[in-house]
Amino acid sequence: MQANKLSSPVVSNQTQPYEKLAEVIQRHQEAPFQKPIASFNQQAFDQAEQRLAAHGGRLILDSGCGVGQSTRLLAERFPQHFVLGIDRSADRLERKLGKLPENAALIRADLVDFWRLAVAAQWQPDYHFLLYPNPSPKKKDFKLRWHGHPVFNYLVALGGQLECRTNWQLYVLEMQQALKLMGVTADLNPLNKIDEPLTPFEKKYALSGHQLWQLKAQIN
């Protein structure tokens, strides 16, 4: 592999889980997120709901799907499910890698709105994947991590088996603690064997020698 395609490890000025994590989680639980839903996201959700209804199967969410490689591979691995990939970047979605199976779709939307709409519609995915989210490694950017954002309540409310993968252990350590504070037990383990990378980032990080991490939680 060419050196210019290698990836540097995550560098952060934070070495331990955020010290105010419990305070943040409590505050977000006591004050539900009230930001108005953008019309664009409502339209995207309506389209996704139509696709899900047309398929008629159980749901898998691939949140922050990027170029859609993970959506395609998950749809191939779970042929009886409908796999919905969601990303807010039109550029990434237009660069989708490979033809999608009929049991998959890509939707452009902001997850902050989409998850809230999914909870309101009583969606209950069997699986929910968060693959290599932007770690926002600076301590001051904690609120930009999913577990630091008030919408995390809605992610948990969706239920199903949550799986988050990252090359930054601290990210999933914090998420594990956040889930525990919300009454959810999560397993956190090194991800050492990858038969087929789910995302281009997973492939790049593995080839760059990064330790990958996998968090799994069954949310009822």
Side-chain angles (χ1 to χ4, degrees):
M1 186 174 184
Q2 295 179 3
N4 62 358
K5 291 188 178 180
L6 294 175
S7 175
S8 299
V10 176
V11 176
S12 175
N13 61 349
Q14 184 182 341
T15 59
Q16 298 294 328
Y18 190 62
E19 65 273 11
K20 295 183 179 180
L21 177 62
E23 177 184 323
V24 170
I25 294 297
Q26 182 178 359
R27 183 170 69 249
H28 290 165
Q29 289 183 304
E30 292 175 350
F33 196 40
Q34 298 293 332
K35 179 183 177 182
I37 301 291
S39 59
F40 168 81
N41 291 317
Q42 180 68 64
Q43 293 170 10
F45 181 80
D46 292 344
Q47 293 174 13
E49 200 163 37
Q50 291 173 8
R51 293 293 302 273
L52 175 59
H55 181 268
R58 298 292 298 173
L59 174 65
I60 294 175
L61 290 179
D62 182 16
S63 291
C65 65
V67 296
Q69 176 177 309
S70 51
T71 306
R72 174 176 59 82
L73 292 174
L74 289 169
E76 292 171 356
R77 294 181 190 184
F78 296 90
Q80 302 305 314
H81 283 73
F82 178 70
V83 184
L84 181 65
I86 312 150
D87 202 278
R88 66 181 180 182
S89 169
D91 178 65
R92 286 192 291 265
L93 291 172
E94 288 170 359
R95 290 186 282 121
K96 61 184 179 182
L97 302 181
K99 183 179 178 180
L100 286 177
E102 292 187 0
N103 64 319
L106 299 177
I107 293 289
R108 183 190 175 201
D110 188 331
L111 292 169
V112 171
D113 282 359
F114 198 93
W115 287 342
R116 289 186 290 155
L117 290 166
V119 169
Q122 298 183 330
W123 280 18
Q124 295 180 317
D126 284 348
Y127 301 93
H128 191 172
F129 289 87
L130 286 174
L131 302 175
Y132 303 92
N134 184 343
S136 301
K138 294 181 180 179
K139 184 176 181 179
K140 69 179 182 64
D141 290 335
F142 169 77
K143 64 183 178 181
L144 298 179
R145 303 169 199 166
W146 285 127
H147 46 272
H149 193 286
V151 81
F152 192 66
N153 287 341
Y154 293 86
L155 181 152
V156 174
L158 282 168
Q161 180 174 290
L162 174 66
E163 179 169 342
C164 181
R165 296 185 185 184
T166 183
N167 64 329
W168 189 33
Q169 184 184 16
L170 185 58
Y171 189 93
V172 278
L173 276 173
E174 284 183 342
M175 185 175 287
Q176 183 184 44
Q177 291 185 13
L179 288 167
K180 185 176 181 180
L181 289 165
M182 300 173 74
V184 177
T185 299
D187 295 324
L188 177 58
N189 295 291
L191 184 61
N192 294 322
K193 180 176 173 54
I194 302 174
D195 295 325
E196 183 177 19
L198 281 176
T199 78
F201 281 119
E202 185 161 81
K203 179 179 181 180
K204 181 165 66 172
Y205 295 153
L207 290 174
S208 299
H210 297 191
Q211 176 62 66
L212 306 181
W213 298 90
Q214 178 186 57
L215 176 145
K216 282 189 175 183
Q218 183 62 49
I219 307 174
N220 297 323

